[in-house]
PDB file of all heavy atoms in Angstrom:
ATOM      1  N   GLY A 189     -33.563 -52.559 -47.096  1.00  0.00           N
ATOM      2  CA  GLY A 189     -33.645 -52.250 -48.526  1.00  0.00           C
ATOM      3  C   GLY A 189     -33.171 -50.768 -48.776  1.00  0.00           C
ATOM      4  O   GLY A 189     -32.579 -50.167 -47.953  1.00  0.00           O
ATOM      5  N   ASP A 265     -24.492 -49.117 -24.841  1.00  0.00           N
ATOM      6  CA  ASP A 265     -25.118 -50.416 -24.612  1.00  0.00           C
ATOM      7  C   ASP A 265     -25.894 -50.943 -25.780  1.00  0.00           C
ATOM      8  O   ASP A 265     -25.869 -52.116 -26.123  1.00  0.00           O
ATOM      9  CB  ASP A 265     -26.124 -50.288 -23.407  1.00  0.00           C
ATOM     10  CG  ASP A 265     -25.410 -50.011 -22.080  1.00  0.00           C
ATOM     11  OD1 ASP A 265     -24.242 -50.292 -22.004  1.00  0.00           O
ATOM     12  OD2 ASP A 265     -26.085 -49.603 -21.128  1.00  0.00           O
ATOM     13  N   THR A 273     -25.235 -57.339 -35.658  1.00  0.00           N
ATOM     14  CA  THR A 273     -25.764 -56.649 -36.947  1.00  0.00           C
ATOM     15  C   THR A 273     -24.787 -55.638 -37.492  1.00  0.00           C
ATOM     16  O   THR A 273     -24.618 -55.646 -38.686  1.00  0.00           O
ATOM     17  CB  THR A 273     -27.064 -55.983 -36.584  1.00  0.00           C
ATOM     18  OG1 THR A 273     -27.978 -56.960 -35.976  1.00  0.00           O
ATOM     19  CG2 THR A 273     -27.737 -55.474 -37.812  1.00  0.00           C
ATOM     20  N   LYS A 363     -21.315 -37.520 -42.804  1.00  0.00           N
ATOM     21  CA  LYS A 363     -21.308 -38.083 -44.200  1.00  0.00           C
ATOM     22  C   LYS A 363     -20.408 -39.303 -44.198  1.00  0.00           C
ATOM     23  O   LYS A 363     -19.141 -39.238 -44.229  1.00  0.00           O
ATOM     24  CB  LYS A 363     -20.813 -37.020 -45.137  1.00  0.00           C
ATOM     25  CG  LYS A 363     -20.804 -37.498 -46.578  1.00  0.00           C
ATOM     26  CD  LYS A 363     -19.481 -37.663 -47.089  1.00  0.00           C
ATOM     27  CE  LYS A 363     -19.253 -38.212 -48.365  1.00  0.00           C
ATOM     28  NZ  LYS A 363     -19.420 -39.613 -48.562  1.00  0.00           N
ATOM     29  N   ALA A 372     -23.549 -46.067 -40.471  1.00  0.00           N
ATOM     30  CA  ALA A 372     -23.808 -44.762 -39.959  1.00  0.00           C
ATOM     31  C   ALA A 372     -25.247 -44.501 -39.629  1.00  0.00           C
ATOM     32  O   ALA A 372     -25.645 -43.902 -38.615  1.00  0.00           O
ATOM     33  CB  ALA A 372     -23.228 -43.732 -40.929  1.00  0.00           C
ATOM     34  N   VAL A 453      16.231 -59.273 -30.311  1.00  0.00           N
ATOM     35  CA  VAL A 453      14.782 -59.115 -30.147  1.00  0.00           C
ATOM     36  C   VAL A 453      14.177 -60.399 -30.625  1.00  0.00           C
ATOM     37  O   VAL A 453      14.710 -61.086 -31.548  1.00  0.00           O
ATOM     38  CB  VAL A 453      14.338 -57.901 -30.913  1.00  0.00           C
ATOM     39  CG1 VAL A 453      14.315 -58.068 -32.406  1.00  0.00           C
ATOM     40  CG2 VAL A 453      12.893 -57.542 -30.418  1.00  0.00           C
ATOM     41  N   LEU A 507     -18.646 -63.028 -43.844  1.00  0.00           N
ATOM     42  CA  LEU A 507     -19.802 -63.290 -42.934  1.00  0.00           C
ATOM     43  C   LEU A 507     -19.625 -64.584 -42.148  1.00  0.00           C
ATOM     44  O   LEU A 507     -20.411 -64.950 -41.278  1.00  0.00           O
ATOM     45  CB  LEU A 507     -21.144 -63.368 -43.641  1.00  0.00           C
ATOM     46  CG  LEU A 507     -21.708 -61.989 -44.150  1.00  0.00           C
ATOM     47  CD1 LEU A 507     -22.855 -62.205 -45.137  1.00  0.00           C
ATOM     48  CD2 LEU A 507     -22.041 -61.137 -43.026  1.00  0.00           C
ATOM     49  N   THR A 512     -10.431 -65.279 -41.837  1.00  0.00           N
ATOM     50  CA  THR A 512      -9.508 -64.217 -41.363  1.00  0.00           C
ATOM     51  C   THR A 512      -9.162 -63.261 -42.464  1.00  0.00           C
ATOM     52  O   THR A 512      -8.501 -62.271 -42.163  1.00  0.00           O
ATOM     53  CB  THR A 512      -8.208 -64.923 -40.728  1.00  0.00           C
ATOM     54  OG1 THR A 512      -7.550 -65.613 -41.890  1.00  0.00           O
ATOM     55  CG2 THR A 512      -8.485 -65.849 -39.672  1.00  0.00           C
ATOM     56  N   VAL A 529       1.297 -53.083 -57.487  1.00  0.00           N
ATOM     57  CA  VAL A 529       2.051 -54.299 -57.624  1.00  0.00           C
ATOM     58  C   VAL A 529       2.641 -54.421 -58.994  1.00  0.00           C
ATOM     59  O   VAL A 529       3.884 -54.699 -59.132  1.00  0.00           O
ATOM     60  CB  VAL A 529       1.188 -55.572 -57.235  1.00  0.00           C
ATOM     61  CG1 VAL A 529       1.860 -56.806 -57.657  1.00  0.00           C
ATOM     62  CG2 VAL A 529       0.839 -55.539 -55.728  1.00  0.00           C
ATOM     63  N   ALA A 547      -8.146 -65.595 -58.462  1.00  0.00           N
ATOM     64  CA  ALA A 547      -9.127 -65.826 -59.529  1.00  0.00           C
ATOM     65  C   ALA A 547     -10.211 -66.734 -59.238  1.00  0.00           C
ATOM     66  O   ALA A 547     -11.247 -66.643 -59.832  1.00  0.00           O
ATOM     67  CB  ALA A 547      -8.302 -66.334 -60.760  1.00  0.00           C
ATOM     68  N   ALA A 640      -4.090 -40.453 -26.806  1.00  0.00           N
ATOM     69  CA  ALA A 640      -4.364 -39.633 -27.990  1.00  0.00           C
ATOM     70  C   ALA A 640      -3.263 -39.786 -29.025  1.00  0.00           C
ATOM     71  O   ALA A 640      -2.070 -39.994 -28.558  1.00  0.00           O
ATOM     72  CB  ALA A 640      -4.582 -38.202 -27.629  1.00  0.00           C
TER      73      ALA A 640
END
Side-chain angles (χ1 to χ4, degrees):
D265 291 344
T273 305
K363 182 250 177 280
V453 73
L507 288 170
T512 62
V529 168

